[in-house]
Amino acid sequence: FSQPQKWQCLAPPIARHLATKVMAEPPLSDQKCAPCARGTETPAMPLAEIMERCRQVPLWQLSAAGDRISRSFVAKNFVVAMAYLQQVGEIAEAEGHHPDLHLTEYRTVTIEVFSHSVKGLTPNDFILAAKIDMVEVEYSPKWLKGQPEVQQWLDQRQGRSTSS
């Protein structure tokens, strides 16, 4: 590729046994990040498993290199953005797994998640992403209007039908 691309965390179908394995686990937001064992290398996840896990966090994008996931949005205002980042920080601290947090243009929030120690993705990254997705945020109405997939996700999360 001439330019790096970001891929939406929506994966094509993969091996049935992998899908069954992931589906048998409790929801990611109910899991706890596992501490990395000292003195041992925690391996980065294989791409097939990463793609399957991406389906569980559809608001996140997989980097072109496949080594991190990120999510960006525009909050309603600076105060909302800062409150959101504070809550994300509290979750990260409780999980012992820390994302890269960015605030630009006073209300544009970007979160990058990857396991720094392996320079790649581990199950902890997807657990943290799912927990972050549970944090309520008041989006910029103008931004949200141009993000139908986010609105659909919010409607599903709140139990509202998206078909009219």
Side-chain angles (χ1 to χ4, degrees):
F1 296 111
S2 59
Q3 291 186 3
Q5 296 180 354
K6 287 190 175 181
W7 302 99
Q8 189 74 21
C9 267
L10 298 174
I14 65 167
R16 187 180 311 269
H17 72 278
L18 180 58
T20 304
K21 176 186 167 197
V22 173
M23 295 299 237
E25 296 176 352
L28 290 172
S29 60
D30 291 345
Q31 296 179 39
K32 179 94 174 114
C33 290
C36 294
R38 290 188 185 264
T40 63
E41 283 287 324
T42 301
M45 295 169 64
L47 185 58
E49 190 173 349
I50 289 170
M51 296 303 289
E52 182 58 33
R53 295 250 182 190
C54 278
R55 296 177 71 204
Q56 297 177 57
V57 289
L59 300 180
W60 295 76
Q61 293 184 331
L62 180 63
S63 68
D67 63 349
R68 61 189 64 208
I69 55 175
S70 65
R71 179 174 177 212
S72 295
F73 63 87
V74 179
K76 183 177 180 184
N77 56 43
F78 178 78
V79 172
V80 168
M82 290 302 296
Y84 176 84
L85 289 172
Q86 178 64 36
Q87 289 178 51
V88 168
E90 290 171 8
I91 291 169
E93 192 62 22
E95 292 297 319
H97 195 55
H98 303 92
D100 291 347
L101 305 174
H102 308 273
L103 178 63
T104 57
E105 299 177 355
Y106 80 90
R107 62 188 183 134
T108 300
V109 173
T110 301
I111 302 170
E112 286 187 316
V113 179
F114 66 104
S115 292
H116 297 83
S117 61
V118 299
K119 296 178 177 59
L121 292 165
T122 66
N124 285 348
D125 301 306
F126 293 95
I127 292 168
L128 184 61
K131 288 179 181 288
I132 289 170
D133 281 348
M134 295 296 102
V135 176
E136 296 285 332
V137 61
E138 192 173 357
Y139 296 104
S140 157
K142 182 178 178 181
W143 178 86
L144 188 57
K145 188 175 183 178
Q147 307 296 319
E149 71 282 355
V150 175
Q151 186 62 61
Q152 181 181 6
W153 183 86
L154 288 169
D155 289 345
Q156 287 174 349
R157 183 174 137 188
Q158 295 171 354
R160 293 187 292 216
S161 173
T162 56
S163 59
S164 299

